[in-house]
Amino acid sequence: MASLFGALDASANTLNAYTQALNVVQNDVGNASTQGYAAQSAIFTPLPFDNFAGQGGGVTYSGSQSLRNEPSERNLQAQNSELGSANALVTSLSNLQTSFDVTGSTGLSAALPAFFTSFAALSQNPSDEVARQQVISASQDVASAFQSTAQAVSDASNSATQQIQSTVSDINNLASQISQLNQQQMNSPSPDPNTDASIHADLQNLSLLTNMTYSVAPNGSVNVLIGGQTPLVSGATAYAISAGSAPVSATAPQPGGVPSEIIQDSNGTDITSQITGGSLAGTLQFRNQTVPGLIGDTQQTGSLNQLAQGFADRVNTLLTGGQISSGPPAVAGQALFQYSSQNPGTIAQTLSVTGITGDQIATIDPGPPSTANGIAEQISNLSTSSAPSDQINGLTFPGDYGQIAAGVGQQLSNATTTQTQQSQAVAQAQNMLSQVSGVSLDTEAVQLTDFQNAYEATSKMVTILNDLTETTINLIPS
């Protein structure tokens, strides 16, 4: 009798084990498309068989084991960080590039040539009032083009600053979610696969925002570090980061310029240098490098301001060195452009035409020899002059603008190339992760069939043992 009861008990344990295993398969199938979910494998522990001791053998369910491959997870996160950075750069630079036309149809690429053309026309007929008025109009167009271009860069800078703030908020929200999920894992008797899926989904989303590393504790919780150094999540605690303006030194080259954006940890320590991946890094690069290169910051004037100042100063120098009338008495020329010199970072944005009228434009070069159209001709030739005094950065004024615009285009081209490459790298990493950790419906179908067959066979065994037990009992004399 003892062996019959032992066999019956062992069969019951085995039935329960297969029931739990079927639940694991069901959970896998139900979460096949859940972000961050890793396939689970049922764990069976064999029971001792000793017929004389009443131990009927069989198996018992000992939980499930995750098939998650952490190295593949980390590889995907690394590729995500590179893609996130490229995406942010492409978005910011695409919006900015529209303000740096190189086709000659809009903006400075059209206004500068038109300005020099207007002076060329004036040099042909210095006394023509219509030609003089066209110079004033062309000058206003150039000033307006500088202003609108600088304003577009400034708007892009403000947009990037807002995006940095928004990204930091998203990072902190994810960190808070992970800490709460960590608490659930820490309170669970064993790591829960569904909570684990949520944690890893948040980690993947986080990797698109910033570069980070993480470690997994035995209880299934994770500790997250930004840049491998700064704690973001530790167990059930999240450490919020913040964004703000860098402090400006009184000895900075341009103390009145717009300061860079920085990222600080929960203690207020600057960790910007640790942000090397994710959309936060891409937006920081645009905000702290691309924008200052154009309109300056506390460390530099910016190429657009340098061009605006060099252009305006050279034109004004020629005009004020010329004459409106040779007299007697001779009447000196007047400046055509003006700008605010208090902050070099605003030169392009404040460039405008003075109150000069058409009849106040100096065209006479006093020489010797004196020429009635000498100044107008010199200004018209600025578009092609190779004289160092007529150039900026070794280029003509239109050439310098072309180089500035091409620089923006090249940055966008590089970012787009990286974006394409990283999109492919992410797809490959996702495919690799799916192969080693994802749910295969084909595999689950095979397991489901095997467990069902084993369950049915064990059920038949239980039925047989039950019948034998009843028969044995009935044979015992009452």
Side-chain angles (χ1 to χ4, degrees), residues 49-401:
F49 176 80
D50 187 336
N51 191 44
F52 295 103
Q55 297 174 328
V59 296
T60 186
Y61 176 75
S62 300
S64 62
Q65 180 181 16
S66 173
L67 300 183
R68 185 179 304 285
N69 185 281
E70 294 295 348
S72 295
E73 292 278 354
R74 291 181 171 86
N75 177 51
L76 175 56
Q77 291 160 10
Q79 303 304 331
N80 270 342
S81 290
E82 294 295 328
L83 177 60
S85 179
N87 286 342
L89 272 175
V90 168
T91 298
S92 297
L93 288 167
S94 295
N95 295 333
L96 183 62
Q97 191 192 34
T98 58
S99 300
F100 286 87
D101 178 31
V102 293
T103 64
S105 58
T106 61
L108 281 168
S109 68
L112 282 172
F115 172 83
F116 295 123
T117 298
S118 71
F119 267 98
L122 180 60
S123 71
Q124 297 298 316
N125 192 352
S127 61
D128 185 12
E129 291 300 325
V130 174
R132 288 176 174 271
Q133 195 54 50
Q134 287 177 340
V135 166
I136 297 296
S137 177
S139 300
Q140 291 171 339
D141 288 344
V142 166
S144 177
F146 270 111
Q147 291 173 17
S148 61
T149 303
Q151 185 61 53
V153 179
S154 179
D155 291 344
S157 176
N158 293 333
S159 178
T161 299
Q162 294 174 2
Q163 185 59 48
I164 289 170
Q165 294 281 355
S166 176
T167 303
V168 165
S169 177
D170 290 342
I171 290 172
N172 288 334
N173 287 337
L174 283 171
S176 178
Q177 289 177 200
I178 293 172
S179 68
Q180 294 172 21
L181 292 168
N182 277 347
Q183 185 66 68
Q184 294 179 28
Q185 290 288 55
M186 294 161 69
N187 293 337
S188 177
S190 60
D192 177 69
N194 292 70
T195 304
D196 180 67
S198 297
I199 289 176
H200 281 79
D202 284 346
L203 288 173
Q204 294 296 347
N205 292 332
L206 182 62
S207 67
L208 281 166
L209 302 180
T210 187
N211 54 304
M212 57 84 187
T213 59
Y214 71 95
S215 59
V216 183
N219 59 19
S221 64
V222 297
N223 296 322
V224 184
L225 299 175
I226 287 183
Q229 303 177 57
T230 300
L232 183 65
V233 179
S234 179
T237 303
Y239 300 94
I241 60 174
S242 60
S245 299
V248 180
S249 170
T251 60
Q254 308 288 346
V258 178
S260 298
E261 283 291 300
I262 61 172
I263 306 300
Q264 297 173 304
D265 67 9
S266 58
N267 296 318
T269 302
D270 186 350
I271 61 169
T272 312
S273 62
Q274 299 176 25
I275 310 298
T276 59
S279 59
L280 183 58
T283 310
L284 281 170
Q285 179 179 334
F286 177 80
R287 171 62 179 76
N288 293 344
Q289 297 179 35
T290 300
V291 168
L294 295 169
I295 60 172
D297 58 7
T298 61
Q299 301 298 316
Q300 58 186 314
T301 301
S303 58
L304 194 61
N305 291 317
Q306 291 175 358
L307 174 60
Q309 183 176 29
F311 167 77
D313 287 353
R314 185 55 181 152
V315 171
N316 285 346
T317 296
L318 289 172
L319 288 173
T320 56
Q323 295 176 346
I324 298 171
S325 170
S326 56
V331 180
Q334 298 184 23
L336 180 58
F337 295 107
Q338 61 186 358
Y339 54 81
S340 174
S341 59
Q342 293 182 347
N343 182 0
T346 64
I347 292 175
Q349 204 163 349
T350 59
L351 183 68
S352 64
V353 175
T354 63
I356 191 173
T357 59
D359 58 1
Q360 294 175 320
I361 298 173
T363 60
I364 302 172
D365 183 355
S370 176
T371 53
N373 67 347
I375 296 300
E377 188 172 19
Q378 288 182 59
I379 293 177
S380 71
N381 290 336
L382 289 178
S383 62
T384 58
S385 177
S386 59
S389 59
D390 293 340
Q391 295 187 333
I392 181 169
N393 299 319
L395 299 168
T396 63
F397 296 114
D400 188 62
Y401 171 73

